[in-house]
Amino acid sequence: DIQMTQSPSSLSASVGDRVTISCRASQSVGSYLNWYQQKPGKAPKLLIYGALRLQPGVPSRFSGRGSGTDFTLTISTLEPEDFATYYCQQSETTPRTFGQGTKVEIE
Amino acid sequence: VQVVESGGGLVQPGGSLRLSCTVSGFTFSNFEMNWVRQAPGKGLKTGLEWLSRISTTGNNIYYADSVRGRFTVSRDNAKNSLYLVMNNLRVDDTAMYYCARDHSSGSFDDWGQGTLVTVSS
């Protein structure tokens, strides 16, 4: 199975900050890398698929980069509603493994 | 698009449960579907765990090692419904269970609100 490792596990930031979350795969997943946002008590929400493609309706302050084994999710200007947990997921192979999550908290 | 899970509840270890996922707003038979779960509480074990994917016709089904042989997934395209039968349940199967639609990229673009399964004596 492909292991997905996110860093950091948590971070504190302020509204207006630029935030970058990293995700590393244990082997190449090409561009089959997806990002989700989850708020407490809610289901995950797809933000980015194919490493860099913004899901319709997702604000443009979210962006994704990378290919192969190293990927990043960047929030250019953190808004109050962005405080949540973010997960990466590879869809190159089955099982479709997730990272352990990165919790973005208010500083 | 609407995805609604049901069937969760409290069950004793070794017991069984059947979850359902009913969808509307899209042509169910055109999409592969997935089950994903998330353990409750805090800490590193509360992440998302993919459990299973079923093809559009139901002819191809894939399982995570953790549930293979105990869980069975099926679908009824005429009823716009997906099912998860869970047997020989263990305490560590306690989780919120989500149904999620498979996007062409392999991502999950629509999720239900989840149904909670608690395995406890």
Side-chain angles (χ1 to χ4, degrees):
Chain A
D1 298 358
I2 297 177
Q3 308 302 315
M4 307 301 294
T5 304
Q6 289 181 232
S7 59
S9 295
S10 65
L11 64 90
S12 297
S14 301
V15 172
D17 285 353
R18 180 182 181 90
V19 168
T20 297
I21 298 168
S22 297
C23 177
R24 175 167 287 179
S26 60
Q27 63 190 71
S28 177
V29 297
S31 293
Y32 289 94
L33 192 285
N34 314 301
W35 290 98
Y36 300 85
Q37 176 194 67
Q38 187 179 32
K39 296 181 180 179
K42 300 293 187 182
K45 172 188 173 184
L46 178 64
L47 298 177
I48 287 172
Y49 65 94
L52 51 78
R53 290 170 171 75
L54 209 61
Q55 177 70 355
V58 174
S60 59
R61 62 181 180 274
F62 290 92
S63 64
R65 295 187 63 180
S67 66
T69 60
D70 292 298
F71 302 87
T72 58
L73 171 70
T74 298
I75 309 171
S76 60
T77 306
L78 203 61
E79 296 287 346
E81 60 268 31
D82 300 337
F83 291 96
T85 299
Y86 294 84
Y87 294 93
C88 64
Q89 177 219 18
Q90 64 82 19
S91 51
E92 160 68 18
T93 63
T94 297
R96 306 249 184 97
T97 42
F98 291 88
Q100 82 279 13
T102 296
K103 187 173 184 179
V104 177
E105 299 176 294
I106 301 173
E107 189 166 43
Chain B
V1 172
Q2 196 167 17
V3 178
V4 179
E5 302 92 340
S6 60
L10 175 64
V11 60
Q12 292 187 337
S16 299
L17 209 56
R18 184 198 196 214
L19 306 184
S20 299
C21 168
T22 303
V23 311
S24 60
F26 66 96
T27 304
F28 179 65
S29 59
N30 287 350
F31 290 86
E32 297 191 342
M33 297 294 294
N34 298 269
W35 286 101
V36 178
R37 71 182 177 185
Q38 184 171 36
K42 303 176 184 178
L44 294 177
K45 293 193 180 292
T46 60
L48 299 166
E49 181 186 13
W50 173 86
L51 299 179
S52 181
R53 184 172 85 255
I54 186 169
S55 63
T56 55
T57 60
N59 288 341
N60 294 297
I61 307 173
Y62 308 89
Y63 295 99
D65 289 345
S66 59
V67 303
R68 186 177 294 113
R70 298 189 300 125
F71 290 12
T72 302
V73 173
S74 62
R75 65 190 294 163
D76 185 335
N77 287 342
K79 295 183 177 180
N80 288 346
S81 292
L82 175 72
Y83 305 102
L84 177 64
V85 174
M86 304 183 293
N87 295 319
N88 192 21
L89 282 161
R90 309 190 294 226
V91 171
D92 63 358
D93 291 318
T94 295
M96 184 71 77
Y97 284 74
Y98 295 102
C99 168
R101 188 176 78 169
D102 207 278
H103 184 271
S104 58
S105 65
S107 61
F108 304 156
D109 63 347
D110 279 291
W111 299 62
Q113 83 291 347
T115 187
L116 182 62
V117 173
T118 302
V119 185
S120 175
S121 54

